[in-house]
Amino acid sequence: MIEERFDAIVVGAGPSGNAAAYTMAKEGLKVLQLERGEYPGSKNVQGAILYADALEKIIPDFREDAPLERHVIEQRLWTMDNGSHVGMHYRSDDFNEERPNRYTIIRAQFDRWFSGKVREAGAVLLCETTVTELLRDTAGRVIGVRTDRGGGTAFADIVILGEGVNGLVGQRAGLRPELKPDTVALAVKEMHFLPRETIEARFNLKGNEGVVIEAMGTITDGMTGTGFLYTNQESISIGIGCIVSDFTESNRTPYGLLEAFKRHPSVQPLLEGSECKEYVAHLIPEGGYNAMPQLYGDGWIVVGDAGQFVNAVHREGSNLAMTTGRIAAETVVWLKRRREELSKGNLAEYQRRLEETFVMKDMKKYRKIPDFLHHNKHFFNLYPKLLSGAAQTWFRVDGVDKRTKEKQIFQSFRAGRKLTGLIGDAFKLARSWR
Amino acid sequence: MMNIGEAGGTAPVKVEERLFQNRYMVDAGRPHIRIRPHETPSKALLAMTRLCPAGCYSVNDRGQVEAVVDGCVECGTCRVVTAQTGELEWNYPRGGFGVLFKFG
Ligand SMILES: Cc1cc2nc3c(=O)[nH]c(=O)nc-3n(C[C@H](O)[C@H](O)[C@H](O)COP(=O)(O)OP(=O)(O)OC[C@H]3O[C@@H](n4cnc5c(N)ncnc54)[C@H](O)[C@@H]3O)c2cc1C
Ligand code: SF4
């Protein structure tokens, strides 16, 4: 396919692959990047909230031309039952800062922009090219890739795998095990278009201010999962996702769940009159630290979703993807400068560097959470109902005295779950959180 | 009361209506997912008739599961769910083919 040898081959042009390719090309390495989509982003899905910090460390002045939708000034967390929600809203004018911290984005547009920067930095990008396998030498070290462009091959000193959650190349090469249904979530999402002014009026916004909503409760019908609704300039992203093994046990369809979420009385007025222009689905690796595979080997490194780098509790993925991509690239550049081999032993430096960052610290902090939520379904079903019932008892003025109301609320919790269970849940949650 | 669809309500939610908004480059005659011939589908494969977000799977009158993957959004759920049973041969579409997200 391509005769010349490269310093590095990057598989995938999502945030992890782009961060890696950009960082290496910028440092003068000869980089080949391969992407199976017609253009970068054409296969990719995100909510999408972009965390500025991770991108700033790669492209400090990204705000000048990146396709950003709105900067987030208000976060809503909703616990929902069938007809109500209990919300925690945090809105602050501090988020109207010169360099805002979080933005909503549209991934297909964002990935294209990022990819433009990668090419400007000097990397060679080939789209419409699916990598089909890794090539190895007799000693087993990875030396290149085979593609579906007439079976063409390309060779490099290192292959960086930023191939996303469905990482077939690495899996088939035996670098990591197949995903398990209880460690991935299936999310479906729609893009709903509305005039700018309508969005601003409905969400109490001006200019480029934005609101994001994360929701949990009976909307997932007892499954471990969450819903989200984000404001873009002229559209609203709405989606819902649950752990795949929960889906297989339930009688719900993903689109049925999304439809019910959209028609929830707390959500429906926000979408009223909108036009849906796209429906997408994607997996999210949610197994956390305990599901993480080996991250490097002789001639290869894995970055982003392919390495399970997602913090599901905080809905962070793209920033971990960019950070792992950048650090993998920096490690490669560093080793090359020192004329060291890109062997498994030397590439351990990648993991060492990751351990120093928020990436590994957070992955470790939340290592027990995926399992905890999987086995404590009342957080998604029972508690939201109890919470809503309690709020309603408390706020409804109906001649019942407040002490009696307190008792009713307490009893509803006791009836829903034994006191020992309640205390146990709080205790277990605190322990997993630690 | 609002209709909440399927389990909780009345009208079933049709997935086809959603998919026609999407853009695809169909690789005619070369489906990227194939079901291995079977007499009776496993519970996992059968679950895909409900679980596939693009509604690609259905049961024929002999009780076997069939797939038409033109509307596939390439999420990989069916691959993960049937990994243990080995009933599917799952590959990415050839480079450039398959779904094309405008927004993602
Ligand atoms: C519904 C949803 C909402 C989310 N919301 C957020 C959010 O708000 N904020 C956040 O930070 N994260 C969010 N995430 C997570 C985030 O999207 C991911 O963590 C991130 O996209 C991972 O980046 P990546 O580069 O590792 O993988 P991807 O973005 O999946 O990129 C992988 C790339 O590799 C290409 N590829 C794969 N295999 C091959 C091959 N064999 N040959 C050639 N190319 C190949 C793909 O086409 C793709 O372009 C969300 C995810 C989902 C699904
Ligand atoms: S990959 Fe996803 S959309 Fe495609 S057939 Fe499988 S489950 Fe359906």
Side-chain angles (χ1 to χ4, degrees):
Chain A
M1 172 169 75
I2 292 190
E3 293 303 321
E4 55 190 322
R5 238 193 108 74
F6 291 87
D7 290 317
I9 293 173
V10 177
V11 182
S16 67
N18 282 339
Y22 180 87
T23 306
M24 291 186 295
K26 196 105 180 127
E27 292 295 325
L29 264 53
K30 259 173 73 177
V31 179
L32 172 67
Q33 189 181 26
L34 303 165
E35 164 58 46
R36 68 186 190 88
E38 184 187 276
Y39 48 83
S42 62
K43 302 290 185 184
N44 302 344
V45 175
Q46 191 174 325
I49 301 177
L50 170 80
Y51 304 99
D53 178 69
L55 182 55
E56 225 162 12
K57 291 200 164 75
I58 300 164
I59 305 179
D61 58 358
F62 76 90
R63 292 180 180 83
E64 281 171 18
D65 53 4
L68 305 169
E69 292 289 314
R70 292 175 180 276
H71 63 273
V72 180
I73 62 146
E74 181 175 333
Q75 172 82 57
R76 302 182 185 172
L77 300 173
W78 285 3
T79 307
M80 305 176 81
D81 76 354
N82 288 342
S84 72
H85 74 266
V86 179
M88 201 281 276
H89 295 196
Y90 182 67
R91 180 182 176 111
S92 173
D93 196 37
D94 290 348
F95 291 130
N96 279 315
E97 53 206 326
E98 206 182 305
R99 299 153 78 80
N101 182 256
R102 302 191 295 162
Y103 294 90
T104 53
I105 56 165
I106 294 175
R107 267 295 293 274
Q109 292 161 10
F110 178 82
D111 285 3
R112 265 182 138 159
W113 166 84
F114 200 168
S115 176
K117 298 284 172 192
V118 173
R119 277 168 293 151
E120 269 171 40
V124 177
L125 168 70
L126 278 185
C127 286
E128 305 193 327
T129 309
T130 305
V131 172
T132 50
E133 66 172 321
L134 292 177
L135 302 173
R136 298 177 191 256
D137 65 11
T138 46
R141 55 166 288 127
V142 171
I143 52 169
V145 298
R146 186 182 304 284
T147 73
D148 69 346
R149 282 204 173 208
T153 54
F155 296 89
D157 297 337
I158 185 126
V159 176
I160 297 191
L161 294 159
E163 52 180 337
V165 59
N166 277 302
L168 292 186
V169 178
Q171 256 166 42
R172 287 181 180 167
L175 308 185
R176 64 188 103 95
E178 173 61 275
L179 299 167
K180 297 198 178 52
D182 60 353
T183 61
V184 281
L186 167 62
V188 289
K189 176 193 163 191
E190 287 179 355
M191 284 292 280
H192 283 257
F193 282 75
L194 279 168
R196 232 197 127 91
E197 313 77 65
T198 310
I199 292 178
E200 284 161 18
R202 269 182 205 175
F203 290 87
N204 191 16
L205 302 169
K206 61 179 192 311
N208 288 331
E209 293 173 343
V211 168
V212 292
I213 305 175
E214 310 289 352
M216 61 175 283
T218 58
I219 50 168
T220 56
D221 200 11
M223 296 184 267
T224 301
T226 51
F228 63 89
L229 186 154
Y230 301 157
T231 55
N232 304 315
Q233 297 257 1
E234 295 184 324
S235 60
I236 289 175
S237 303
I238 181 161
I240 192 162
C242 298
I243 296 292
V244 167
S245 58
D246 285 355
F247 259 130
T248 57
E249 300 296 316
S250 96
N251 61 352
R252 305 295 300 265
T253 64
Y255 38 90
L257 218 54
L258 178 57
E259 197 57 31
F261 181 42
K262 277 160 52 190
R263 293 184 196 176
H264 188 283
S266 297
V267 176
Q268 201 267 340
L270 299 173
L271 294 175
E272 187 71 47
S274 65
E275 187 194 353
C276 174
K277 291 199 182 169
E278 190 171 75
Y279 165 73
V280 304
H282 207 278
L283 292 179
I284 308 175
E286 297 203 347
Y289 186 78
N290 293 337
M292 274 175 56
Q294 174 67 26
L295 298 173
Y296 55 89
D298 285 329
W300 63 272
I301 295 189
V302 60
V303 294
D305 275 11
Q308 293 270 340
F309 288 107
V310 166
N311 181 339
V313 174
H314 289 264
R315 288 201 148 273
E316 292 179 29
S318 64
N319 56 331
L320 277 66
M322 287 181 206
T323 305
T324 53
R326 172 177 61 82
I327 291 178
E330 287 169 355
T331 306
V332 169
V333 170
W334 182 75
L335 288 171
K336 282 207 149 256
R337 293 257 159 85
R338 294 164 53 114
R339 302 195 184 284
E340 303 229 33
E341 243 196 302
L342 298 172
S343 62
K344 183 172 180 179
N346 286 338
L347 289 169
E349 175 70 11
Y350 166 53
Q351 183 146 357
R352 262 197 297 279
R353 290 183 181 204
L354 282 183
E355 306 273 356
E356 307 278 297
T357 68
F358 77 99
V359 173
M360 282 302 197
K361 288 180 184 164
D362 286 352
M363 294 296 292
K364 282 187 185 164
K365 171 170 161 56
Y366 290 112
R367 66 201 302 168
K368 291 185 184 144
I369 289 280
D371 205 44
F372 173 79
L373 293 176
H374 197 64
H375 293 109
N376 291 274
K377 292 287 192 303
H378 19 277
F379 278 88
F380 297 93
N381 221 347
L382 177 66
Y383 289 157
K385 284 185 195 155
L386 293 176
L387 204 57
S388 164
Q392 184 150 155
T393 305
W394 195 241
F395 292 126
R396 198 182 275 281
V397 176
D398 50 8
V400 178
D401 67 279
K402 299 297 182 265
R403 191 178 301 277
T404 305
K405 278 180 183 282
E406 275 174 8
K407 253 189 216 141
Q408 283 172 355
I409 290 171
F410 186 67
Q411 272 160 5
S412 74
F413 273 80
R414 289 277 308 257
R417 190 144 163 77
K418 285 206 198 78
L419 195 57
T420 47
L422 285 172
I423 295 168
D425 285 346
F427 183 68
K428 281 186 287 181
L429 179 62
R431 263 215 333 215
S432 320
W433 202 266
R434 199 171 52 189
Chain B
M1 180 59 201
M2 201 76 68
N3 162 31
I4 59 162
E6 20 178 279
T10 48
V13 185
K14 283 216 178 68
V15 70
E16 297 80 9
E17 289 161 19
R18 299 193 150 71
L19 296 176
F20 89 97
Q21 301 279 1
N22 293 358
R23 283 175 57 210
Y24 295 94
M25 273 279 283
V26 176
D27 200 355
R30 293 176 68 156
H32 62 286
I33 303 170
R34 287 169 207 268
I35 305 180
R36 301 226 160 85
H38 60 277
E39 283 300 318
T40 8
S42 69
K43 191 167 156 261
L45 183 57
L46 208 52
M48 288 317 302
T49 58
R50 179 176 44 76
L51 194 46
C52 168
C56 294
Y57 293 86
S58 58
V59 181
N60 68 19
D61 49 19
R62 278 161 296 155
Q64 296 149 345
V65 172
E66 294 178 338
V68 179
V69 297
D70 292 359
C72 172
V73 289
E74 298 166 32
C75 67
T77 305
C78 54
R79 190 179 61 78
V80 174
V81 168
T82 61
Q84 292 295 320
T85 72
E87 286 160 296
L88 291 187
E89 195 185 313
W90 200 104
N91 282 296
Y92 279 123
R94 274 196 295 158
F97 287 93
V99 75
L100 270 168
F101 295 141
K102 289 166 287 184
F103 308 108

